[in-house]
Structures are given as C-alpha cells and as structure tokens.
Amino acid sequence: MKKIIYDLGANNGDDIPYYLMKSDVVVAVEANPVLCQGIRQRFLPQIEQGRVVVEHCVITSDHEGVDVDFYIHKEDSVLSRFPKPDKAEIDCFEQVLLPSKTIKHVIAEHGTPFYIKIDIEHYDAEVLRALWQEKILPPYISAESHTIEVFSLLVSMGYLGFKLVDGQTVSRQYANRLIQGPNGVVEYSFPFHSAGPFGNDVDGEWMTADNFFHVLAAEGLGWKDIHASRVEDVGA
C-alpha cells in the first residue's frame, strides 16, 4: 500500500522535499492561490510523476464544494487563516473568497494517510475533531498547539506516544541531519518556518500522555507542533 503524506497548510512547499523522502505521494493542501502556483512550478517533475498532488482549497471540517471567506496576511503568508481574525488585527489581512473542501473529501479522493501534518492557523482542532468523527486515524499525525484542546483531542483519538517540535528552533536543531530516504541515508537540513521532521526522526523517546502533559506545561503553547503516534512503543 502506498505511503501518503497529507501536508495541510503547505505554504510555499518547504516541507515537501523531506516528505518525498518518507512517502510515495505527498498531497499538498494550500488555500493561497499564489503559493499554490509556486508549489506547482517548484515541484513540476514530481507532479508529472504523480508523486505530488496540489489541492488548492481551504480545508474545512464541514464545508464542501462552496466558496468560503479566507484571510490572507498582507505581510506574512504563514499567518493566513480561515477563521476570521479579531477586529484588532483584521486590517492586517486581505479577505478573499476561495474554494473549500472537507478533510473527509480530500482523503477519500487521494487515499489512506500514513502521516497528516496540520498547520492551518487557529483551525487545527476543528480538523482533528473531523478526523476523529470520521475515524481517520493515521499512524502518525501532528498539529500546532495554540490551544490545549489539540492535545486533548489527540489523546481522545487514541494516540499513545507524543513528542514536541519547537517551530522557533527547527532550522537550528534539525540542521545537517541524516535522514533515511528511499535510496539510503542522506544529509538534510530543515528550512526555517518548515514543520520539521515527524515520527522517529523527531528527537527523543515517545512519551506517554501523562508525561507529555508535564512537558507541554513547562514548554507552553504556541508555535509548537505536537506529534502523536499510534504505532510506537512509548517510554517514560
């Protein structure tokens, strides 16, 4: 069976080279049309080979086939979002109407996920909840931890092992790493603003939910990705 990675919130595609080393197919989902065009140009050979699929849509939990309001940040594309920003910051965004698809529809179209990366500003918990309701529970999953609800949902979904990746330090901590790819081990450095590694490529042992909670309490929420596994033995 093919290993399929879903990159939800693909942005400029900086995670895709690493994901191509770890899978057969990468489904890159991005709402911003300019960024989608950049991904298509950057990975044209892989798209022609069927190894990269670009979905230009706003990923949602309950909208399907309709245009929805999306908010593109005027200065920093990684801050673009589906939920409407607060009044205090709304002037920083351009409101645009874009096509939407539910996470259920996207996965039904492309196949069972091996890993799902969720990085869609302030909407990660809603997507996790939709996956749980549809019983879509991949071996590996990650989501940004702006709220404790993200961790609570992963525990409720039955994930047993947890790790934390700090977005601020990814490019420093995971520089010049030896990564197992399809043709052997290669040296790879994760770019700044990339999501970084997943699974066993993330440093440290898999932690139980109880022990991970203490780590998360010490580290705090924010620009940090919670990685969860259903398949690994967990340590202390």
Side-chain angles (χ1 to χ4, degrees):
M1 188 169 74
K2 286 185 177 181
K3 283 185 177 179
I4 304 173
I5 289 178
Y6 288 83
D7 185 357
L8 307 185
N11 196 252
N12 65 1
D14 272 354
D15 291 313
I16 294 175
Y18 166 66
Y19 293 158
L20 284 169
M21 289 191 284
K22 310 300 290 189
S23 68
D24 300 301
V25 178
V26 177
V27 180
V29 182
E30 175 56 45
N32 188 321
V34 174
L35 294 176
C36 274
Q37 184 60 29
I39 293 172
R40 290 190 178 103
Q41 293 174 350
R42 182 177 176 183
F43 296 99
L44 181 59
Q46 292 84 358
I47 291 171
E48 292 176 341
Q49 295 163 9
R51 295 206 60 210
V52 172
V53 178
V54 180
E55 283 278 5
H56 172 221
C57 65
V58 179
I59 202 74
T60 71
S61 60
D62 55 3
H63 295 76
E64 183 58 57
V66 298
D67 290 346
V68 296
D69 288 327
F70 187 77
Y71 300 86
I72 297 177
H73 198 277
K74 295 176 181 178
E75 296 182 2
D76 192 348
S77 62
V78 299
L79 299 177
S80 302
R81 54 192 290 182
F82 174 43
K84 187 175 181 178
D86 296 334
K87 288 183 179 180
E89 55 180 351
I90 190 69
D91 289 342
C92 298
F93 295 83
E94 177 188 0
Q95 182 178 341
V96 295
L97 205 58
L98 294 174
S100 69
K101 287 186 178 181
T102 62
I103 184 59
K104 173 186 176 181
H105 178 98
V106 172
I107 290 176
E109 185 174 351
H110 298 292
T112 302
F114 172 67
Y115 166 57
I116 299 177
K117 182 210 88 175
I118 308 172
D119 187 359
I120 44 180
E121 296 294 300
H122 303 282
Y123 200 68
D124 297 50
E126 286 79 0
V127 172
L128 281 174
R129 193 176 295 106
L131 290 169
W132 186 18
Q133 290 171 350
E134 297 296 333
K135 296 182 173 57
I136 300 171
L137 306 171
Y140 298 99
I141 194 168
S142 68
E144 200 167 24
S145 59
H146 283 295
T147 68
I148 195 64
E149 185 182 12
V150 166
F151 176 56
S152 299
L153 282 166
L154 288 167
V155 173
S156 298
M157 292 165 75
Y159 285 93
L160 302 174
F162 300 89
K163 295 183 180 184
L164 193 67
V165 171
D166 181 5
Q168 294 272 8
T169 62
V170 161
S171 59
R172 299 195 303 272
Q173 183 175 350
Y174 292 98
N176 304 313
R177 288 302 182 102
L178 297 179
I179 302 295
Q180 179 67 52
N183 300 313
V185 175
V186 298
E187 187 176 281
Y188 184 79
S189 292
F190 291 86
F192 182 70
H193 261 315
S194 71
F198 77 94
N200 290 324
D201 288 339
V202 179
D203 289 345
E205 299 293 326
W206 291 101
M207 289 175 276
T208 63
D210 286 344
N211 289 324
F212 183 82
F213 178 78
H214 293 292
V215 171
L216 191 61
E219 293 288 337
L221 302 171
W223 188 11
K224 297 177 176 66
D225 290 333
I226 299 175
H227 287 254
S229 168
R230 300 178 63 85
V231 298
E232 300 298 331
D233 293 332
V234 298

